[in-house]
Amino acid sequence: MYFVVSAGGTAGHINPAIAVADELRRRGHRILFAGTPNHIEAKLAVEAGFDFKGFEVAGFDAAKPWTLVSSGSKILKATSQAKALFKADRPDAVLTFGAYVSIPVGRAAAAMGIPLVIHEQNSVPGMANKYLAKKAQVTALTYRESAAHLQCKNEPVVIGNPVRASFETCSRQRGRQLLGIPEDATVVLVFGGSLGAQHLNSAVAAMKESLLALPGVHVVHGAGKADYQATADKLQLTDEERQRWHLFEYIDQMGDVLAASDLVVSRAGASSLAEIMTLGVPAVLVPYPFARGDHQTLNAAGCVAAGAACLVPDAQVEEPAFAQLVLDLASNPQRRATMAAACSQFSGSTARAKLADIACELTERSDS
């Protein structure tokens, strides 16, 4: 069978799309990845070995209503281009994962009677999925709470958030060898996304002395491109401290690094959260406070309720309680073990297979 998979904008949309596309390819199906040219999805999809088709789209700024005209014009043009693409080589189904580029791809599929499956990663859906849910044969959700924000053509299904199969082969030993950290060390991983999280970086940097005072603790700190130098300036690491505080602009091979960690301090983006839970790492989650509908706080709620993670609001990371929580968890392997055991129910491994099954079954039904 032949599937078109579409996602764009951020890794939070793109990584689950690539995870499912890879699962479908593993089953012997042909895949075309549709996204925005010159954006991150073009690079990631090609690196993953998929054929890529670019559609020029752009969002609009609610504070600048006139941008709706140019945005709408580009979406209409991209919809016509997607229809022409599908007419020349008709897919058996189309799967979209959010961002503006999903709108013309999904619209074209619906207009041509091609089965459409959408997946919403966050607890509060974005505009693209709110629009396409009205047209999709299947709306798949990570969180049940998302359904309240959608007008679905059919009853939505809750499957979790797909995680790439490569995360299931990540290695604690390989990650520690990569970092040059001994096996008996306690590793605290801090990251706030590819661009970083300034407030979180600053709060953790202020804990330098207390964290390094804990015997055997190593900190792996992904400060992000935008905030790396400011974080380095705050830390003022000595040569001796650099042996245990590993500061990076960007963390390569995140899967192995995450597997090597005993505790993670991070934002609560849906994809990051699914990867953390899949690898069973206890977490202190600091949701991004300006996320749409405060969806990162809602994303984290289930993991916190189950005991797999702790939540600290961004406004409180400079308070003593945040530092004490991180220090207590870094010093308490029994509590971390209990939290790690609770992670399994939020794994993204089954979600990847379930969504691939849904796409295949939908295609088979439409053929019969």
Side-chain angles (χ1 to χ4, degrees), residues 115-194:
L116 174 63
V117 179
I118 70 171
H119 181 271
E120 174 55 54
Q121 297 85 55
N122 288 299
S123 50
V124 179
M127 190 189 79
N129 278 343
K130 283 184 177 180
Y131 175 79
L132 291 176
K134 301 171 187 177
K135 302 177 179 293
Q137 277 73 24
V138 178
T139 297
L141 309 175
T142 298
Y143 304 103
R144 189 172 302 280
E145 294 80 4
S146 304
H149 303 274
L150 297 169
Q151 297 177 27
C152 299
K153 181 177 180 179
N154 295 306
E155 185 70 21
V157 294
V158 181
I159 65 166
N161 200 9
V163 168
R164 290 166 288 171
S166 59
F167 270 79
E168 295 161 19
T169 59
C170 292
S171 163
R172 177 182 176 90
Q173 181 181 18
R174 190 165 59 238
R176 295 200 169 207
Q177 288 174 346
L178 177 71
L179 295 164
I181 295 176
E183 181 57 36
D184 60 352
T186 299
V187 176
V188 179
L189 171 63
V190 181
F191 71 97
S194 59

Side-chain angles (χ1 to χ4, degrees), residues 253-270:
Q253 296 176 261
M254 175 58 90
D256 286 333
V257 172
L258 193 53
S261 303
D262 298 290
L263 176 68
V264 61
V265 181
S266 79
R267 293 303 197 192

Side-chain angles (χ1 to χ4, degrees), residues 4-362:
V4 172
V5 176
S6 180
T10 68
H13 295 306
I14 299 159
N15 286 340
I18 289 177
V20 176
D22 195 50
E23 175 67 19
L24 290 166
R25 179 174 59 183
R26 187 191 64 78
R27 298 182 185 191
H29 304 303
R30 181 164 62 98
I31 308 297
L32 175 69
F33 200 103
T36 311
N38 305 318
H39 283 206
I40 188 174
E41 61 266 29
K43 177 177 181 290
L44 293 177
V46 172
E47 285 179 353
F50 295 108
D51 291 335
F52 181 84
K53 172 63 178 177
F55 294 98
E56 289 283 359
V57 296
F60 69 93
D61 186 343
K64 301 175 181 177
W66 59 89
T67 62
L68 181 60
V69 176
S70 58
S71 174
S73 176
K74 288 184 177 181
I75 285 175
L76 289 174
K77 181 178 180 180
T79 301
S80 296
Q81 292 172 337
K83 286 180 179 179
L85 177 70
F86 296 167
K87 184 177 180 180
D89 190 7
R90 185 182 178 90
D92 293 287
V94 170
L95 295 85
T96 68
F97 290 77
Y100 282 100
V101 72
S102 292
I103 295 176
V105 176
R107 287 182 79 226
M112 297 177 70
I114 298 168
L116 174 63
V117 179
I118 70 171
H119 181 271
E120 174 55 54
Q121 297 85 55
N122 288 299
S123 50
V124 179
M127 190 189 79
N129 278 343
K130 283 184 177 180
Y131 175 79
L132 291 176
K134 301 171 187 177
K135 302 177 179 293
Q137 277 73 24
V138 178
T139 297
L141 309 175
T142 298
Y143 304 103
R144 189 172 302 280
E145 294 80 4
S146 304
H149 303 274
L150 297 169
Q151 297 177 27
C152 299
K153 181 177 180 179
N154 295 306
E155 185 70 21
V157 294
V158 181
I159 65 166
N161 200 9
V163 168
R164 290 166 288 171
S166 59
F167 270 79
E168 295 161 19
T169 59
C170 292
S171 163
R172 177 182 176 90
Q173 181 181 18
R174 190 165 59 238
R176 295 200 169 207
Q177 288 174 346
L178 177 71
L179 295 164
I181 295 176
E183 181 57 36
D184 60 352
T186 299
V187 176
V188 179
L189 171 63
V190 181
F191 71 97
S194 59
L195 296 180
Q198 184 178 10
H199 199 198
L200 182 59
N201 284 334
S202 180
V204 172
M207 296 170 57
K208 182 184 77 170
E209 291 186 8
S210 54
L211 275 168
L212 293 181
L214 298 176
V217 166
H218 283 241
V219 177
V220 178
H221 190 167
K225 182 177 181 180
D227 203 41
Y228 174 82
Q229 191 56 55
T231 304
D233 292 342
K234 287 186 179 76
L235 283 166
Q236 290 292 302
L237 295 169
T238 65
D239 289 342
E240 182 179 358
E241 288 169 341
R242 287 191 186 93
Q243 300 301 309
R244 292 175 54 207
W245 196 292
H246 312 264
L247 180 65
F248 299 95
E249 181 178 293
Y250 180 80
I251 297 175
D252 291 316
Q253 296 176 261
M254 175 58 90
D256 286 333
V257 172
L258 193 53
S261 303
D262 298 290
L263 176 68
V264 61
V265 181
S266 79
R267 293 303 197 192
S271 289
S272 294
L273 201 51
E275 291 165 358
I276 290 166
M277 294 296 112
T278 298
L279 289 172
V281 186
V284 175
L285 302 172
V286 183
Y288 177 57
F290 305 111
R292 180 187 63 254
D294 197 22
H295 68 250
Q296 288 203 2
T297 297
L298 298 174
N299 289 351
C303 300
V304 173
C310 300
L311 187 147
V312 178
D314 184 83
Q316 297 177 18
V317 295
E318 292 174 338
E319 296 180 7
F322 170 72
Q324 193 58 54
L325 174 63
V326 174
L327 293 169
D328 287 348
L329 286 171
S331 307
N332 192 333
Q334 290 183 329
R335 185 179 178 189
R336 294 199 309 269
T338 300
M339 293 174 71
C343 292
S344 60
Q345 61 189 289
F346 301 101
S347 170
S349 300
T350 55
R352 182 184 67 249
K354 285 178 181 176
L355 196 52
D357 288 342
I358 286 169
C360 292
E361 290 166 7
L362 184 63

